[in-house]
Tab-separated table of all heavy atoms in Angstrom:
chain	number	residue	atom	x	y	z
O	52	GLN	N	33.855	15.179	13.377
O	52	GLN	CA	35.020	14.506	12.745
O	52	GLN	C	35.208	14.997	11.268
O	52	GLN	O	36.309	15.205	10.824
O	52	GLN	CB	34.840	12.998	12.841
O	52	GLN	CG	34.952	12.446	14.231
O	52	GLN	CD	34.435	11.035	14.385
O	52	GLN	OE1	33.592	10.584	13.669
O	52	GLN	NE2	35.031	10.339	15.338
O	53	ALA	N	34.099	15.116	10.555
O	53	ALA	CA	34.221	15.572	9.171
O	53	ALA	C	34.678	16.993	9.112
O	53	ALA	O	35.650	17.345	8.267
O	53	ALA	CB	32.861	15.564	8.540
O	54	LYS	N	34.333	17.848	10.024
O	54	LYS	CA	34.781	19.245	10.043
O	54	LYS	C	36.270	19.251	10.444
O	54	LYS	O	37.062	20.204	10.030
O	54	LYS	CB	34.013	20.096	11.080
O	54	LYS	CG	32.640	20.523	10.607
O	54	LYS	CD	31.921	21.376	11.625
O	54	LYS	CE	30.546	21.714	11.160
O	54	LYS	NZ	29.855	22.663	12.195
O	55	SER	N	36.655	18.281	11.239
O	55	SER	CA	38.087	18.240	11.599
O	55	SER	C	39.006	17.686	10.516
O	55	SER	O	40.214	17.711	10.660
O	55	SER	CB	38.254	17.415	12.844
O	55	SER	OG	37.558	17.891	13.937
O	56	GLY	N	38.383	17.172	9.469
O	56	GLY	CA	39.128	16.677	8.338
O	56	GLY	C	39.395	15.152	8.394
O	56	GLY	O	40.079	14.625	7.506
O	57	ASP	N	38.812	14.499	9.380
O	57	ASP	CA	38.969	13.032	9.516
O	57	ASP	C	37.758	12.350	8.935
O	57	ASP	O	36.881	11.862	9.622
O	57	ASP	CB	39.189	12.672	10.990
O	57	ASP	CG	39.638	11.267	11.216
O	57	ASP	OD1	39.572	10.448	10.200
O	57	ASP	OD2	39.982	10.889	12.317
O	58	LYS	N	37.781	12.216	7.554
O	58	LYS	CA	36.555	11.681	6.887
O	58	LYS	C	36.417	10.162	7.199
O	58	LYS	O	35.240	9.695	7.276
O	58	LYS	CB	36.700	11.899	5.352
O	58	LYS	CG	36.706	13.359	4.934
O	58	LYS	CD	35.329	13.982	5.134
O	58	LYS	CE	35.203	15.247	4.346
O	58	LYS	NZ	36.197	16.296	4.635
O	59	LYS	N	37.522	9.461	7.399
O	59	LYS	CA	37.432	8.026	7.670
O	59	LYS	C	36.734	7.831	8.998
O	59	LYS	O	35.812	6.932	9.064
O	59	LYS	CB	38.886	7.471	7.744
O	59	LYS	CG	38.888	5.972	7.938
O	59	LYS	CD	40.304	5.461	7.933
O	59	LYS	CE	40.356	3.927	8.121
O	59	LYS	NZ	41.749	3.449	8.085
O	60	ALA	N	37.067	8.592	10.027
O	60	ALA	CA	36.391	8.418	11.331
O	60	ALA	C	34.946	8.891	11.237
O	60	ALA	O	34.030	8.347	11.840
O	60	ALA	CB	37.125	9.224	12.412
O	61	ALA	N	34.721	9.952	10.423
O	61	ALA	CA	33.346	10.471	10.229
O	61	ALA	C	32.446	9.392	9.666
O	61	ALA	O	31.253	9.254	10.077
O	61	ALA	CB	33.407	11.746	9.410
O	62	ILE	N	32.952	8.727	8.626
O	62	ILE	CA	32.176	7.693	7.974
O	62	ILE	C	31.846	6.528	8.945
O	62	ILE	O	30.709	6.056	8.983
O	62	ILE	CB	32.866	7.173	6.707
O	62	ILE	CG1	32.918	8.263	5.604
O	62	ILE	CG2	32.190	5.912	6.110
O	62	ILE	CD1	33.841	7.987	4.454
O	63	LYS	N	32.865	6.169	9.709
O	63	LYS	CA	32.661	5.112	10.657
O	63	LYS	C	31.561	5.464	11.713
O	63	LYS	O	30.636	4.655	11.983
O	63	LYS	CB	33.986	4.827	11.381
O	63	LYS	CG	33.906	3.626	12.406
O	63	LYS	CD	35.250	3.422	12.949
O	63	LYS	CE	35.242	2.258	14.018
O	63	LYS	NZ	36.603	1.985	14.635
O	64	SER	N	31.587	6.688	12.196
O	64	SER	CA	30.573	7.143	13.156
O	64	SER	C	29.232	7.233	12.516
O	64	SER	O	28.207	6.925	13.136
O	64	SER	CB	31.022	8.453	13.808
O	64	SER	OG	32.218	8.395	14.489
O	65	ALA	N	29.176	7.750	11.280
O	65	ALA	CA	27.939	7.850	10.552
O	65	ALA	C	27.266	6.501	10.343
O	65	ALA	O	26.044	6.331	10.439
O	65	ALA	CB	28.100	8.615	9.280
O	66	LYS	N	28.043	5.527	10.022
O	66	LYS	CA	27.587	4.104	9.782
O	66	LYS	C	26.961	3.601	11.133
O	66	LYS	O	25.907	2.960	11.071
O	66	LYS	CB	28.657	3.247	9.308
O	66	LYS	CG	28.991	3.533	7.822
O	66	LYS	CD	30.030	2.553	7.352
O	66	LYS	CE	30.377	2.720	5.885
O	66	LYS	NZ	31.449	1.879	5.348
O	67	LYS	N	27.586	3.897	12.187
O	67	LYS	CA	27.035	3.426	13.491
O	67	LYS	C	25.761	4.197	13.813
O	67	LYS	O	24.769	3.566	14.277
O	67	LYS	CB	28.047	3.734	14.627
O	67	LYS	CG	29.269	2.874	14.588
O	67	LYS	CD	30.204	3.271	15.789
O	67	LYS	CE	31.466	2.405	15.813
O	67	LYS	NZ	32.385	2.805	16.924
O	68	SER	N	25.691	5.453	13.478
O	68	SER	CA	24.496	6.277	13.714
O	68	SER	C	23.352	5.714	12.785
O	68	SER	O	22.176	5.662	13.170
O	68	SER	CB	24.802	7.719	13.374
O	68	SER	OG	23.579	8.499	13.542
O	69	LEU	N	23.756	5.416	11.540
O	69	LEU	CA	22.818	4.875	10.546
O	69	LEU	C	22.109	3.590	11.045
O	69	LEU	O	20.919	3.423	10.984
O	69	LEU	CB	23.434	4.664	9.207
O	69	LEU	CG	22.624	4.084	8.108
O	69	LEU	CD1	21.379	4.910	7.821
O	69	LEU	CD2	23.439	3.853	6.861
O	70	GLU	N	22.983	2.709	11.575
O	70	GLU	CA	22.488	1.408	12.086
O	70	GLU	C	21.495	1.578	13.182
O	70	GLU	O	20.463	0.978	13.269
O	70	GLU	CB	23.667	0.565	12.492
O	70	GLU	CG	23.316	-0.785	13.035
O	70	GLU	CD	24.531	-1.643	13.480
O	70	GLU	OE1	25.653	-1.258	13.228
O	70	GLU	OE2	24.291	-2.667	14.125
O	71	LYS	N	21.856	2.458	14.138
O	71	LYS	CA	21.017	2.724	15.324
O	71	LYS	C	19.719	3.481	14.905
O	71	LYS	O	18.629	3.203	15.431
O	71	LYS	CB	21.747	3.483	16.378
O	71	LYS	CG	22.763	2.686	17.124
O	71	LYS	CD	23.482	3.532	18.174
O	71	LYS	CE	24.548	2.615	18.975
O	71	LYS	NZ	23.782	1.702	19.837
O	72	ALA	N	19.915	4.362	13.904
O	72	ALA	CA	18.696	5.039	13.394
O	72	ALA	C	17.670	4.083	12.747
O	72	ALA	O	16.439	4.272	12.890
O	72	ALA	CB	19.096	6.162	12.412
O	73	LYS	N	18.196	3.152	12.038
O	73	LYS	CA	17.338	2.140	11.385
O	73	LYS	C	16.610	1.304	12.461
O	73	LYS	O	15.472	0.978	12.390
O	73	LYS	CB	18.188	1.153	10.552
O	73	LYS	CG	18.653	1.827	9.216
O	73	LYS	CD	19.434	0.846	8.369
O	73	LYS	CE	19.871	1.440	7.045
O	73	LYS	NZ	20.717	0.579	6.221
O	74	GLU	N	17.367	0.945	13.628
O	74	GLU	CA	16.736	0.227	14.699
O	74	GLU	C	15.595	1.044	15.359
O	74	GLU	O	14.616	0.491	15.738
O	74	GLU	CB	17.827	-0.131	15.722
O	74	GLU	CG	18.849	-1.142	15.274
O	74	GLU	CD	19.956	-1.347	16.258
O	74	GLU	OE1	19.927	-0.672	17.324
O	74	GLU	OE2	20.909	-2.164	15.960
O	75	ALA	N	15.783	2.277	15.416
O	75	ALA	CA	14.828	3.212	16.028
O	75	ALA	C	13.744	3.595	15.063
O	75	ALA	O	12.727	4.265	15.501
O	75	ALA	CB	15.541	4.464	16.535
O	76	GLY	N	13.923	3.321	13.789
O	76	GLY	CA	12.968	3.709	12.742
O	76	GLY	C	12.840	5.203	12.487
O	76	GLY	O	11.791	5.728	12.205
O	77	ASN	N	14.011	5.870	12.672
O	77	ASN	CA	14.060	7.320	12.466
O	77	ASN	C	14.470	7.680	11.084
O	77	ASN	O	15.625	7.658	10.695
O	77	ASN	CB	14.986	7.989	13.538
O	77	ASN	CG	14.845	9.540	13.517
O	77	ASN	OD1	15.111	10.220	12.478
O	77	ASN	ND2	14.531	10.057	14.629
O	78	ASP	N	13.521	7.978	10.181
O	78	ASP	CA	13.775	8.214	8.795
O	78	ASP	C	14.634	9.395	8.491
O	78	ASP	O	15.476	9.417	7.554
O	78	ASP	CB	12.414	8.364	8.022
O	78	ASP	CG	11.624	7.058	7.990
O	78	ASP	OD1	12.244	5.955	8.100
O	78	ASP	OD2	10.473	7.112	7.738
O	79	ASP	N	14.490	10.470	9.338
O	79	ASP	CA	15.322	11.615	9.138
O	79	ASP	C	16.812	11.328	9.276
O	79	ASP	O	17.602	11.804	8.437
O	79	ASP	CB	14.863	12.747	10.152
O	79	ASP	CG	13.470	13.302	9.784
O	79	ASP	OD1	13.126	13.192	8.645
O	79	ASP	OD2	12.919	13.916	10.731
O	80	TYR	N	17.119	10.620	10.293
O	80	TYR	CA	18.542	10.334	10.527
O	80	TYR	C	19.043	9.314	9.580
O	80	TYR	O	20.284	9.297	9.258
O	80	TYR	CB	18.742	9.897	12.028
O	80	TYR	CG	18.939	11.036	12.964
O	80	TYR	CD1	17.881	11.796	13.447
O	80	TYR	CD2	20.182	11.498	13.372
O	80	TYR	CE1	18.057	12.880	14.244
O	80	TYR	CE2	20.369	12.543	14.236
O	80	TYR	CZ	19.285	13.306	14.689
O	80	TYR	OH	19.429	14.353	15.523
O	81	ILE	N	18.207	8.432	9.162
O	81	ILE	CA	18.620	7.444	8.121
O	81	ILE	C	19.037	8.222	6.868
O	81	ILE	O	20.065	7.937	6.246
O	81	ILE	CB	17.464	6.461	7.827
O	81	ILE	CG1	17.247	5.511	8.966
O	81	ILE	CG2	17.790	5.674	6.554
O	81	ILE	CD1	15.986	4.662	8.869
O	82	LYS	N	18.167	9.177	6.521
O	82	LYS	CA	18.405	9.934	5.265
O	82	LYS	C	19.717	10.838	5.408
O	82	LYS	O	20.604	10.825	4.538
O	82	LYS	CB	17.277	10.891	4.983
O	82	LYS	CG	17.319	11.716	3.705
O	82	LYS	CD	16.076	12.483	3.484
O	82	LYS	CE	16.161	13.318	2.189
O	82	LYS	NZ	17.158	14.372	2.184
O	83	MET	N	19.887	11.527	6.567
O	83	MET	CA	21.010	12.399	6.790
O	83	MET	C	22.277	11.578	6.783
O	83	MET	O	23.312	11.956	6.137
O	83	MET	CB	20.919	13.181	8.075
O	83	MET	CG	19.811	14.305	8.027
O	83	MET	SD	19.799	15.357	9.510
O	83	MET	CE	19.246	14.162	10.758
O	84	ASN	N	22.332	10.463	7.504
O	84	ASN	CA	23.553	9.652	7.499
O	84	ASN	C	23.927	9.006	6.177
O	84	ASN	O	25.087	9.021	5.793
O	84	ASN	CB	23.407	8.533	8.554
O	84	ASN	CG	23.563	9.059	10.022
O	84	ASN	OD1	24.568	9.656	10.268
O	84	ASN	ND2	22.606	8.763	10.888
O	85	THR	N	22.888	8.572	5.459
O	85	THR	CA	23.130	7.964	4.141
O	85	THR	C	23.786	8.984	3.231
O	85	THR	O	24.756	8.711	2.533
O	85	THR	CB	21.773	7.475	3.544
O	85	THR	OG1	21.278	6.428	4.441
O	85	THR	CG2	22.030	6.866	2.213
O	86	GLU	N	23.166	10.225	3.219
O	86	GLU	CA	23.716	11.232	2.348
O	86	GLU	C	25.106	11.685	2.784
O	86	GLU	O	25.989	11.922	1.888
O	86	GLU	CB	22.786	12.456	2.423
O	86	GLU	CG	21.427	12.239	1.725
O	86	GLU	CD	20.494	13.444	1.871
O	86	GLU	OE1	20.808	14.356	2.631
O	86	GLU	OE2	19.417	13.396	1.145
O	87	SER	N	25.362	11.749	4.077
O	87	SER	CA	26.685	12.129	4.515
O	87	SER	C	27.777	11.092	4.188
O	87	SER	O	28.856	11.427	3.770
O	87	SER	CB	26.747	12.440	6.019
O	87	SER	OG	25.923	13.547	6.353
O	88	ILE	N	27.431	9.854	4.328
O	88	ILE	CA	28.343	8.741	4.013
O	88	ILE	C	28.701	8.833	2.566
O	88	ILE	O	29.874	8.686	2.160
O	88	ILE	CB	27.763	7.427	4.402
O	88	ILE	CG1	27.654	7.276	5.940
O	88	ILE	CG2	28.655	6.257	3.832
O	88	ILE	CD1	26.796	6.085	6.426
O	89	ALA	N	27.711	9.022	1.690
O	89	ALA	CA	27.980	9.128	0.283
O	89	ALA	C	28.811	10.350	-0.047
O	89	ALA	O	29.748	10.247	-0.868
O	89	ALA	CB	26.646	9.253	-0.468
O	90	GLU	N	28.557	11.472	0.579
O	90	GLU	CA	29.335	12.664	0.364
O	90	GLU	C	30.791	12.455	0.794
O	90	GLU	O	31.734	12.802	0.084
O	90	GLU	CB	28.777	13.848	1.150
O	90	GLU	CG	29.469	15.157	1.000
O	90	GLU	CD	28.944	16.201	1.902
O	90	GLU	OE1	27.875	16.087	2.473
O	90	GLU	OE2	29.657	17.245	2.036
O	91	TRP	N	30.972	11.956	2.031
O	91	TRP	CA	32.375	11.918	2.584
O	91	TRP	C	33.137	10.751	1.837
O	91	TRP	O	34.375	10.827	1.717
O	91	TRP	CB	32.335	11.651	4.009
O	91	TRP	CG	31.698	12.794	4.790
O	91	TRP	CD1	31.653	14.063	4.420
O	91	TRP	CD2	30.971	12.605	6.039
O	91	TRP	NE1	30.983	14.821	5.369
O	91	TRP	CE2	30.558	13.959	6.359
O	91	TRP	CE3	30.615	11.598	6.898
O	91	TRP	CZ2	29.710	14.235	7.600
O	91	TRP	CZ3	29.847	11.872	8.002
O	91	TRP	CH2	29.451	13.190	8.339
O	92	SER	N	32.479	9.732	1.347
O	92	SER	CA	33.131	8.634	0.610
O	92	SER	C	33.590	9.041	-0.750
O	92	SER	O	34.559	8.502	-1.311
O	92	SER	CB	32.184	7.455	0.512
O	92	SER	OG	31.807	6.960	1.742
């Protein structure tokens, strides 16, 4: 979505991914999603 230029949708999907990554305890995906959300915002 970010590559397609739809940053709003990309942030929404990244937030969902971040939430699930936290539930799974996956630090790598937590970090990647947090950084992407900040960048796209």
